[in-house]
Every structure is written in structure tokens, then in C-alpha cells.
């Protein structure tokens, strides 16, 4: 049957174009791939090739015609044995273009899933371990180390790779003794090539392994952020659920002390923005251990943000055979009735210190540790604010935008009627980190700032 | 070009030759159809056609064994068809429909098949190279004697992460074949204008990775080189580089006017070097097939391709609640 040749779309945005010049005439024979015409789009002049073989029976749109809509018939192609008389038999209806359903009634709601919080927040405040469990004092460093060792004993496919993780036993000694116990096959020193080894880690996770990739600090992971986001976080979605990336990226995040602008940055808000990632930023040793074990078992890519200053800090950790903490469950460190202080990671040190000092003045603060930023347990925050009616957030990252600004927006939407004062976000200052000791101190948030913010929201 | 050529009498059976013909023709006809559907607005966004380069994937797939892996960039339709993925599922993904390999959520550049060990379709130039080495890392770790074909172009060959990956792959002796599909243009920039030394396969020497140049318009030469590279990797000697000189007849993507090269240059390649014509000549001149036989194959392929296009047009768009699925997994799907 004679087929109509239609005005082609030659770019993702083309709706119409100019039929600049025919390079064939009626009666010419064309083969697939032959150039038939030149067509001008808004961007360029394109050559238009034949897809089928046949004879040009009729040219319907003349050279130089402007504004020819995509899918308008421009010529008729005859197959072997057909004549121009057959042209009438060609269908004149253009084939259906891709359906535009942007205004369909059943189009998905534009609001993100997280915003659909229930009217009454469902907050899981169950304890992380059973009452009466024997406890031991442990640093955050030991907790992270133990978590990895336990998971490596449990699962042969878990391996650790990164700079200085094996023979040097970790730049911050988080991987101490792992090489001894698990050998060079499973504890792998990499060259200083974050981009490359992050990608190799993601590929290995697709190939059936459970990589734990250590970045000496998260600052260096900027070299690898494409692999973390484009390769690890998006593959499950892009593959329609066929393949996921069970990988943990971990290392110290945020300011240490006097290491300058390029080595002092909190990536919490950066990674928390990315669907497909889990983002964890623990404060205590128990949380670090329970959450890292969960991270290694999780089938999704996990960004695990540690803190150098917290590594040496000791906490009580439960003595249990298998202790894990689920993602998306905040921890209330201190109950109170006057104000809710929300923080995570090292911000918790300011939050808790401020709460103690405020208590001396009779201000009773509730302190919530988010622990995981994606998924984020905003229900526990909402429930707390419904009780205290005031909220201050604390983090070391920059303010534009921050985890605190997101919490503020959630509270506006979900607890507006309960707020007696605007939410205040205590954040790092909107500047690169300076080196000078006095300036660095000013650039970070502090216990004093948290206390001042609480006084503002409580009008006391 | 000083590329390896299979000068000797082809050491392949008539059946193999016919299979190469069929496989290459499927890619060519499929891509022509994809171009047509793009023109009709049924395929959107970016669409990078593989026309001209068919011998590369068909030759290397002939060298692969069951369980070997492959990962490539966004010019990926040919790789998917060559490794046995269903043309219907590929075309339906191109049209963004429910029955596509990624249920319409990936598109032309992002498809996967764990069944066929095809690990994507990646849109960031160079990023799939460490991913391929990572797959090979897993195979070595699991001691399963598999090889990963990691395809990238002459453009990607200038990305830093490629050399990070060469270094680690050589250091750890990973079973990966780096396949540089040198079609001589990184989008609109010719290799002469983008690459300081023209022979990319030499670049592995700095890392101790052997490499060679192959005539990518000759499927038999590609197969022969593929066999050698695979044997090298499977014997535990680490990575191997194949720089395969090829040529794409179409623009970089559908919206490329291709003003950076002459029409004559393209026409000359088509007329003198076409990989499908080459096999066709071998079949006819060797008395392995008649014109009629090949016509029957042409018809068979045309039917498959038309069937895939009809399927892709008829398949519904994904249900709107698909927007919210496959973001976070409960179990790792590839291990489930």
C-alpha cells in the first residue's frame, strides 16, 4: 500500500518546521537511508532520510513551505508495483502522536509522598533495645568498627574498600583490625581515585556484592557524587525495579577543626534531597552501630555521614548479639514541654548542652535526634511540636536550604495551628569555612546560639 | 586504517554468517524504525541511533559466553538487541510504555535486563566504565569466571574516570574487556580535534593493559578480536582493550544536523565499508545463500521490527501510580 511520508519531529521540542528543500522528485526511487529533503527546525537545518524503499509518488508540500506541523503528510511513497493512481488509498489521517496527559484527571498529585503525613502523626517512640539490656561503654569509632566486623562475619559478600582502609587501618582508624581478620580480598586499599572506586563499588553492588565504600572524608566524595546520585540512587527507578544498588558510602562529614574551607562541609542537606538514597547521620555510638548494621543490610544505597569529632566520644551501647536500628525512626533524647529542639549528628552536642543549661533557668526542652535524614521521621517532630508549640532546629550545614528549613516547611503545613512562634534554624553561617580559630568558631553554630534561639521562641 | 582485518578466508560456517547477517540487519531495521517513530513524535527526548556500528556488538556477542555481562552508554539499542533482549520490550521502552524494559521509566538511554546480563544504558559519558569494572570486580570476587564487556566511545575515552578505572582494573586484574567504539566523532567533535594521540588502544600501555585496534566494519575481525580478548580475561590475566574503528551513519542524536562532516564522507562509508553489505557479499559469493534466502531473512526481520513497533504503539502508558514505585527497594531485586 502507498504510504504517506510525514513531517518528522527532528528534535525533542520541535512542533513545526520549514520544508527547505526537496532532494528527490516525483518518480525517483529511494532506498532506506537516502536523504530526501532538508528541513529547518528552530535550531538547525536537518537532513531527512527515507525509512522505507519505494518510489516518490507525489510531493504534497512544496519546497520553502514554512510552518509545516509535525506529522503533516509531505509526500507519498509507492511500493514496488504501485502507481500514482494508488495514492488515494493512502490513509489521510496522521497517526496518533504520543498522548499528552498533562491535564488528565488521573494525573498524579504534585505533592511529594512525604507531605502526605497523617492528621495524627504516628510516632514510633519505642526504645532501641529492651529494658534491662546489659550496656558497655564504647566510642563511636569502636561502634562503627564493630558494626562492620559483625556484618562481614555474617555475610561473605560484604567487603570494605577505600583509601588507607587496609594496611593503614583507616585514616581515622575506623577499619582497625579488619584486614587482619578478613584478609586483603575483603579489605581493599584503593588508589586516590574517588570517582573511579565509587563507580567500581556501585558496579560490584549490581554484581551481587555488598560494598562498604569509605571516603576518607565526604569532602572528597564530591569527586564521586555523580556515581552516588546518577548511578547508585537512580538505577532502581530507571530499571523499572529490576536492579538496585545495595552499597554503603561512609566516612566523616562536616567540620573537623581548623582544616579550612575545602575540608569542612556538611553534606546532610545535599544528599537528603536525592530520592533513591538513604541518608544517615548518627550522633551516639549506639546509633552509629545499629544504623551502620542496618545500612549494610539495606538493599538501597546508603549515604552514611559520620563526624570526626564524635569518633572519640564514648556512649553506652547495648550488649546484644544482633543490634540494629531501623531507618526513619527519630530518637527522643530528652523529654520536655516548653520547646522542641531538633538536630542530628554533631548538632546534637549543642542541642543537648543547650537543653541542660536551659533547664537550669526552668525552660524544659524536648530534644529530638533525627538520626536518618532520608527517610526523615517528621511525625515525631510534629507530635512533639503539637505538645511544645515551639521549635528550634540545629545543624552545622549551610542555611540555604537546610534540613532545618525543610522541617520548618513541614511544621508550617502540618502543625501551623500549634505553633506559638516562628521556627528558628540554627545553622552554619553562609560562608566558606575560615581557617582562623576565632572565625571558624563564629562560622559554626553553637550552644549559645541554640540557647538564644530557644529564648526567642519561648519569649523568655 | 591500520586496523586488524580478517584477510584469510572466513573461518566461519554458513550458519554463523547468516546469524551475523540477521543480527546486524535486525539492529539496522530496528533503528530505522525507531528514527521513524521519533519523527512521528512517538519517541521523545534523546534518541541515539546505532546505524553503521552494528558489526561491533554482533561480533563481540558472538565471542561472549552465557553469563558474561555487558554495560554501555546511551547509544545502547544495538547492544540490547545483540544480547538477545526482546525488540518489543526495547521499542516499548523507547515509546515510554508499560511493556518497556523499564516500564517506561528509563527511556532510550536507560534500560536493563538482569536475565540477559545487560547492565544499562548510562547517560553520563564515561560513568559506565567504572561500573563495568565493578561488575568484573564482583565476578572475580565470586570466582565465577565471567567477563564483562564495558563499551564506551572515543569521546568518553578522554574522561578522567576511564583512566582511574584502567589503573584499578590492571592493579586488581579484573576480567573486563574495555571496548572503545571509535566512531570518530564525539557528538560533533572529530577525534582529530579532541584527542591528542589518535590510537586510543595504546593508552592502556601505561597501565600494562594490552590493546589492539580492530576494523569495526568487519564483523569477523571483531569476533576474532573478541575471542582473543575474552580468552585473555578468562585466563585471569586482567583487562584487555579493543579499540574498534567504526562509523555512525546518522547524527549523534535525532536533533543533530551533522554539519561537522560532509555528506560525501558518510556516503563513502556506506557504499564502501558497510558491515551488513560485507556479510551479504560473503554469503552470496561463498555460495552460502541465494538472493532469495536473504530476501526471506529481510522479510523476517522486517516483520519482527514492524511487530515491535506495533507492540510499542499499542502498549499503554504506565499507570500514574508508577511515578511512586521503584524508588526504594525492600530487597535487592537482582539478588531476590
Amino acid at each position: 500500500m502507498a504510504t504517506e511520508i510525514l513531517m518528522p519531529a527532528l528534535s525533542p521540542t520541535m512542533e513545526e518546521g520549514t520544508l527547505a528543500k526537496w532532494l528527490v522528485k516525483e518518480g525517483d526511487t529511494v532506498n532506506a537511508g537516502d536523504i530526501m529533503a532538508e528541513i529547518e527546525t528552530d535550531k538547525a537545518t536537518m537532513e531527512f532520510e527515507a525509512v522505507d524503499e519505494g518510489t516518490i509518488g507525489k510531493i504534497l508540500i512544496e519546497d520553502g513551505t514554512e510552518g509545516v506541523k509535525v506529522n503533516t503528510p509531505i509526500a507519498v511513497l509507492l511500493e514496488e508495483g504501485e502507481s500514482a493512481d494508488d495514492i488515494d488509498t493512502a490513509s489521510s489521517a496522521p497517526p496518533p502522536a504520543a498522548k499528552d496527559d498533562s491535564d488528565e484527571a488521573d494525573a498524579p498529585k504534585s505533592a511529594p509522598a512525604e507531605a502526605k503525613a497523617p492528621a495524627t502523626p504516628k510516632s514510633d517512640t519505642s526504645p532501641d533495645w529492651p529494658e534491662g539490656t546489659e550496656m558497655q561503654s564504647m566510642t563511636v569509632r569502636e561502634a562503627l568498627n564493630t558494626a562492620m566486623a559483625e556484618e562481614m562475619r555474617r555475610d561473605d559478600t560484604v567487603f570494605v574498600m577505600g583509601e588507607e582502609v587496609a594496611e593503614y587501618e583507616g585514616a581515622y582508624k575506623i577499619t582497625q583490625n579488619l584486614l587482619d581478620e578478613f584478609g586483603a580480598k575483603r579489605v581493599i586499599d584503593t588508589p586516590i581515585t574517588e570517582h573511579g572506586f565509587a563507580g567500581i563499588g556501585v558496579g560490584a553492588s549490581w554484581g551481587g556484592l555488598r560494598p562498604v565504600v569509605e571516603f576518607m572524608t565526604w569532602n572528597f566524595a564530591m569527586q564521586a557524587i555523580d556515581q552516588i546520585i546518577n548511578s547508585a540512587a537512580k538505577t532502581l527507578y530507571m530499571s523499572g525495579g529490576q536492579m538496585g544498588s545495595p552499597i554503603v558510602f561512609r566516612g566523616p562529614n562536616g567540620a573537623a577543626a581548623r582544616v579550612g574551607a575545602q575540608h569542612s562541609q556538611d553534606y546532610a542537606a545535599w544528599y537528603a534531597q536525592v530520592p533513591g538514597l538513604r541518608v544517615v547521620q548518627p550522633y551516639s555510638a549506639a546509633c552509629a552501630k545499629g544504623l551502620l548494621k542496618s545500612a549494610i543490610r539495606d538493599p538501597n544505597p546508603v549515604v552514611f555521614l559520620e563526624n570526626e569529632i564524635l569518633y572519640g566520644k564514648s556512649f553506652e551501647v547495648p550488649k546484644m548479639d544482633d543490634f540494629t536500628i531501623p531507618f526513619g525512626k527519630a530518637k527522643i533524647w530528652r523529654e520536655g514541654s516548653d520547646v522542641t529542639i531538633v538536630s542530628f549528628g554533631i548538632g546534637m552536642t549543642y542541642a543537648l548542652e543547650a537543653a541542660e543549661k536551659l533547664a537550669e533557668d526552668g525552660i524544659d526542652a524536648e530534644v529530638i535526634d533525627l538520626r536518618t535524614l532520608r527517610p526523615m521521621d517528621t511525625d515525631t517532630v510534629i507530635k512533639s511540636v503539637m505538645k511544645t508549640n515551639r521549635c528550634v532546629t540545629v545543624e552545622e550545614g549551610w542555611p540555604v536550604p537546610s534540613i532545618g528549613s525543610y522541617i520548618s516547611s513541614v511544621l508550617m503545613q502540618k502543625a501551623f495551628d500549634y505553633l506559638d512562634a516562628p521556627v528558628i534554624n540554627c545553622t552554619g553561617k553562609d560562608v566558606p569555612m575560615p581557617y582562623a580559630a576565632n572565625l571558624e568558631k563564629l562560622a559554626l553554630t553553637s550552644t549559645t546560639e541554640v540557647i538564644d534561639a530557644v529564648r526567642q521562641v519561648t519569649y523568655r | 586504517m591500520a586496523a586488524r582485518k580478517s584477510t584469510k578466508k572466513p573461518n566461519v560456517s554458513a550458519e554463523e554468517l547468516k546469524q551475523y547477517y540477521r543480527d546486524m540487519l535486525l539492529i539496522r531495521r530496528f533503528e530505522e524504525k525507531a528514527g521513524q517513530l521519533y519523527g512521528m513524535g512517538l519517541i521523545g527526548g534523546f534518541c541515539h541511533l546505532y546505524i553503521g556500528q552494528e558489526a561491533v556488538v554482533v561480533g563481540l556477542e558472538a565471542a561472549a559466553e552465557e553469563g558474561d555481562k555487558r554495560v554501555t552508554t546511551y547509544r545502547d539499542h544495538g547492544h540490547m538487541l545483540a544480547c538477545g533482549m526482546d525488540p518489543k520490550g526495547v521499542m516499548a521502552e523507547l515509546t515510554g510504555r508499560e511493556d518497556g524494559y523499564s516500564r517506561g521509566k528509563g527511556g532510550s538511554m536507560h534500560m536493563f535486563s538482569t536475565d540477559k546480563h545487560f547492565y544499562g544504558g548510562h547517560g553520563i559519558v564515561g560513568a559506565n566504565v567504572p561500573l563495568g569494572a565493578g561488575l568484573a570486580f564482583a565476578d572475580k570476587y565470586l570466582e565465577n569466571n565471567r567477563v564483562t564487556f564495558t563499551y564506551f566511545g572515543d569521546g568518553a575515552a578522554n574522561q578522567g574516570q576511564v583512566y582511574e578505572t584502567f589503573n584499578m582494573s590492571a592493579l586488581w586484574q579484573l576480567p573486563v574487556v574495555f571496548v572503545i567504539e571509535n566512531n570518530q566523532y564525539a557528538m560533533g567533535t572529530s577525534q582529530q580535534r579532541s584527542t591528542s594521540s589518535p590510537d586510543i588502544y595504546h593508552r592502556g600501555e601505561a597501565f600494562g593493559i594490552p590493546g589492539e585496534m580492530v576494523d569495526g566494519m568487519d564483523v569477523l575481525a571483531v569476533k576474532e578480536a573478541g575471542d582473543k580478548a575474552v580468552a585473555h580475561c578468562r585466563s585471569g590475566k586482567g583487562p584487555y582493550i579493543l579499540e574498534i574503528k567504526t562509523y555512525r551513519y546518522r547524527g549523534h542524536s535525532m536533533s543533530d544536523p551533522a554539519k561537522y562532516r560532509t555528506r560525501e564522507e558518510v556516503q563513502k562509508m556506506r557504499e564502501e565499508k558497510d558491515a551488513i553489505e560485507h556479510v551479504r557479499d560473503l554469503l552470496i559469493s561463498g555460495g552460502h545463500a541465494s538472493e532469495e534466502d536473504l530476501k526471506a531473512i529481510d522479510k523476517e526481520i522486517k516483520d519482527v521490527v514492524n511487530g515491535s513497533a506495533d507492540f510499542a504503539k499499542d502498549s499503554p502508558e504506565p499507570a500514574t501510580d508508577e511515578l511512586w514505585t521503584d524508588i526504594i527497594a525492600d530487597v535487592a531485586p537482582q539478588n531476590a
Side-chain angles (χ1 to χ4, degrees):
Chain A
M1 195 184 81
T3 48
E4 285 177 332
I5 297 169
L6 305 174
M7 182 70 168
L10 295 171
S11 82
T13 49
M14 176 177 168
E15 288 175 2
E16 59 177 42
T18 300
L19 210 166
K21 190 177 170 191
W22 279 105
L23 300 172
V24 293
K25 55 184 190 304
E26 290 178 6
D28 282 1
T29 305
V30 292
N31 285 310
D34 287 354
I35 296 153
M36 292 198 296
E38 287 180 356
I39 288 170
E40 279 175 32
T41 71
D42 53 341
K43 294 192 209 76
T45 302
M46 305 278 296
E47 289 167 346
F48 174 45
E49 296 179 2
V51 179
D52 293 312
E53 56 191 15
T55 307
I56 302 291
K58 197 170 173 57
I59 283 175
L60 304 171
I61 303 281
E62 293 306 315
D63 283 14
T65 311
E66 292 177 18
V68 182
K69 301 273 185 226
V70 165
N71 279 333
T72 307
I74 55 175
V76 178
L77 189 71
L78 304 174
E79 279 182 29
E80 215 177 321
E82 288 179 332
S83 76
D85 301 337
D86 297 317
I87 285 169
D88 291 345
T89 64
S91 158
S92 58
K99 203 167 56 164
D100 177 8
D101 68 351
S102 56
D103 54 2
E104 269 184 25
D106 63 345
K109 292 127 205 98
S110 61
E114 288 99 322
K116 295 182 216 149
T120 313
K122 285 197 188 87
S123 168
D124 176 6
T125 51
S126 61
D128 288 335
W129 51 84
E131 214 176 315
T133 304
E134 193 187 341
M135 304 295 283
Q136 59 185 328
S137 178
M138 199 183 259
T139 62
V140 171
R141 173 178 287 113
E142 288 162 342
L144 293 166
N145 178 268
T146 314
M148 280 190 285
E150 286 179 10
E151 291 309 297
M152 289 177 83
R153 277 174 218 135
R154 196 184 63 83
D155 180 352
D156 286 344
T157 66
V158 177
F159 72 98
V160 177
M161 75 192 302
E163 293 154 9
E164 309 290 3
V165 297
E167 298 199 0
Y168 196 91
E169 301 193 280
Y172 298 97
K173 296 288 173 276
I174 308 302
T175 53
Q176 208 150 26
N177 300 324
L178 294 186
L179 177 64
D180 270 358
E181 181 174 351
F182 301 102
K185 181 184 173 183
R186 299 180 66 192
V187 186
I188 302 159
D189 279 326
T190 64
I192 306 173
T193 54
E194 286 82 6
H195 199 177
F197 71 71
I200 286 178
V202 176
S205 80
W206 296 348
L209 303 184
R210 296 257 170 180
V212 177
V213 171
E214 175 174 310
F215 292 118
M216 193 180 287
T217 82
W218 275 95
N219 303 290
F220 313 146
M222 293 252 266
Q223 302 255 10
I225 197 166
D226 172 63
Q227 293 291 0
I228 298 169
I229 294 175
N230 272 319
S231 303
K234 296 179 183 173
T235 292
L236 185 70
Y237 200 79
M238 295 194 302
S239 69
Q242 277 191 76
M243 282 185 29
S245 313
I247 183 170
V248 178
F249 300 103
R250 51 154 292 272
N253 165 70
R258 307 288 311 277
V259 292
Q262 292 183 339
H263 283 70
S264 311
Q265 190 169 333
D266 176 8
Y267 291 91
W270 288 50
Y271 289 108
Q273 223 228 345
V274 183
L277 286 181
R278 307 269 203 200
V279 183
V280 182
Q281 192 161 348
Y283 163 57
S284 75
C287 295
K289 183 177 179 189
L291 287 165
L292 184 54
K293 283 167 68 78
S294 292
I296 293 170
R297 293 180 196 186
D298 200 85
N300 302 288
V302 182
V303 164
F304 200 92
L305 304 166
E306 301 158 8
N307 185 282
E308 189 190 335
I309 292 166
L310 292 177
Y311 279 154
K313 207 170 158 168
S314 292
F315 294 85
E316 292 295 294
V317 176
K319 272 190 167 174
M320 290 167 70
D321 285 344
D322 195 19
F323 165 61
T324 59
I325 293 174
F327 297 143
K329 182 172 175 243
K331 178 181 168 71
I332 299 173
W333 278 79
R334 180 190 169 106
E335 290 190 14
S337 54
D338 294 333
V339 62
T340 302
I341 305 176
V342 184
S343 190
F344 53 92
I346 192 159
M348 285 297 297
T349 55
Y350 310 122
L352 288 170
E353 214 171 85
E356 262 174 46
K357 293 201 171 145
L358 287 161
E360 290 165 17
D361 294 340
I363 299 175
D364 187 18
E366 180 143 304
V367 181
I368 296 175
D369 178 0
L370 290 172
R371 306 198 290 197
T372 60
L373 304 172
R374 180 175 274 272
M376 195 188 290
D377 182 7
T378 49
D379 278 3
T380 292
V381 178
I382 294 165
K383 196 173 164 198
S384 172
V385 170
M386 286 166 86
K387 174 176 71 176
T388 64
N389 311 113
R390 295 148 210 280
C391 183
V392 168
T393 67
V394 187
E395 70 199 286
E396 279 201 342
W398 287 315
V400 190
S402 60
I403 298 295
S405 58
Y406 175 68
I407 290 174
S408 306
S409 90
V410 170
L411 291 173
M412 288 261 280
Q413 291 174 54
K414 300 285 193 274
F416 187 74
D417 291 339
Y418 293 89
L419 283 172
D420 284 347
V423 178
I424 293 181
N425 304 140
C426 296
T427 66
K429 305 305 178 292
D430 205 8
V431 298
M433 187 63 73
Y435 167 70
N438 64 329
L439 297 182
E440 183 184 64
K441 211 168 164 195
L442 285 171
L444 294 164
T445 191
S446 64
T447 302
T448 312
E449 281 184 5
V450 178
I451 290 171
D452 289 350
V454 168
R455 289 192 187 282
Q456 272 189 63
V457 301
T458 55
Y459 308 110
R460 286 156 81 169
Chain B
M1 125 170 84
R4 166 203 282 268
K5 268 243 176 221
S6 60
T7 46
K8 56 179 187 263
K9 208 168 167 341
N11 185 22
V12 288
S13 69
E15 274 321 298
E16 279 173 274
L17 272 179
K18 270 191 212 164
Q19 194 58 47
Y20 299 156
Y21 181 75
R22 186 178 273 118
D23 291 349
M24 289 196 289
L25 198 64
L26 172 64
I27 296 171
R28 172 120 356 142
R29 295 286 170 261
F30 182 95
E31 292 292 65
E32 286 165 355
K33 182 59 80 175
Q36 191 182 23
L37 296 189
Y38 191 95
M40 290 158 68
L42 284 158
I43 296 172
F46 294 128
C47 185
H48 309 87
L49 302 182
Y50 199 65
I51 297 175
Q53 302 182 208
E54 297 90 346
V56 179
V57 288
V58 170
L60 289 179
E61 283 299 336
E65 281 180 16
E66 174 56 35
D68 287 345
K69 300 180 168 73
R70 61 282 290 164
V71 62
T72 187
T73 63
Y74 43 77
R75 195 180 306 285
D76 55 357
H77 311 163
H79 304 72
M80 294 188 278
L81 298 174
C83 75
M85 287 168 67
D86 183 354
K88 287 181 177 168
V90 178
M91 196 68 95
E93 189 60 37
L94 294 182
T95 55
R97 305 301 172 92
E98 183 183 276
D99 296 301
Y101 266 96
S102 299
R103 297 212 301 283
K105 290 153 77 164
S108 165
M109 298 184 286
H110 307 303
M111 275 179 255
F112 301 79
S113 168
T114 43
D115 278 354
K116 300 291 177 191
H117 311 287
F118 178 76
Y119 290 87
H122 297 276
I124 308 298
V125 172
N128 65 304
V129 178
L131 295 169
L135 288 161
F137 178 96
D139 286 334
K140 180 165 177 151
Y141 188 102
L142 298 169
E143 297 171 17
N144 62 14
N145 205 27
R146 297 289 173 236
V147 169
T148 299
F149 293 88
T150 299
Y151 293 88
F152 55 104
D154 45 304
N158 290 321
Q159 280 277 20
Q161 59 183 318
V162 170
Y163 300 96
E164 300 186 18
T165 304
F166 280 4
N167 180 43
M168 284 180 278
S169 302
L171 195 63
W172 300 332
Q173 299 280 285
L174 303 181
V176 53
V177 183
F178 295 110
V179 184
I180 302 162
E181 292 193 66
N182 184 350
N183 65 20
Q184 303 164 51
Y185 292 91
M187 195 168 157
T189 305
S190 69
Q191 205 201 333
Q192 288 74 18
R193 297 201 301 119
S194 68
T195 304
S196 59
S197 61
D199 293 339
I200 307 173
Y201 70 98
H202 279 311
R203 293 187 184 178
E205 287 169 11
F207 306 92
I209 306 176
E212 62 184 285
M213 193 189 280
V214 186
D215 179 0
M217 306 309 275
D218 177 353
V219 68
L220 303 178
V222 175
K223 158 78 161 71
E224 197 181 325
D227 284 340
K228 190 174 162 192
V230 166
H232 176 92
C233 291
R234 234 188 280 284
S235 68
K237 291 181 191 155
Y240 201 91
I241 293 171
L242 296 177
E243 179 185 356
I244 306 193
K245 284 269 197 182
T246 181
Y247 200 82
R248 76 171 140 72
Y249 298 169
R250 294 294 190 95
H252 168 75
S253 66
M254 291 303 295
S255 51
D256 173 11
K259 293 299 177 208
Y260 43 82
R261 61 187 187 188
T262 62
R263 193 177 289 169
E264 290 70 36
E265 177 185 311
V266 182
Q267 210 49 40
K268 194 170 152 61
M269 285 301 284
R270 291 184 100 131
E271 280 164 13
E272 296 174 9
K273 297 276 188 182
D274 189 77
I276 298 177
E277 286 304 315
H278 173 229
V279 173
R280 189 186 167 85
D281 290 347
L282 288 177
L283 281 165
I284 299 283
S285 65
H288 302 305
S290 66
E291 290 284 354
E292 284 310 305
D293 294 339
L294 297 186
K295 228 173 187 162
I297 294 177
D298 293 358
K299 165 86 169 64
E300 176 198 323
I301 296 297
K302 201 169 183 174
D303 289 347
V304 169
V305 169
N306 286 338
S308 75
D310 291 342
F311 180 83
K313 285 185 233 175
D314 293 343
S315 174
E317 289 187 307
T320 51
D321 58 9
E322 279 287 343
L323 182 66
W324 298 105
T325 61
D326 306 323
I327 298 162
I328 284 288
D330 297 326
V331 285
Q334 68 269 39
N335 301 337

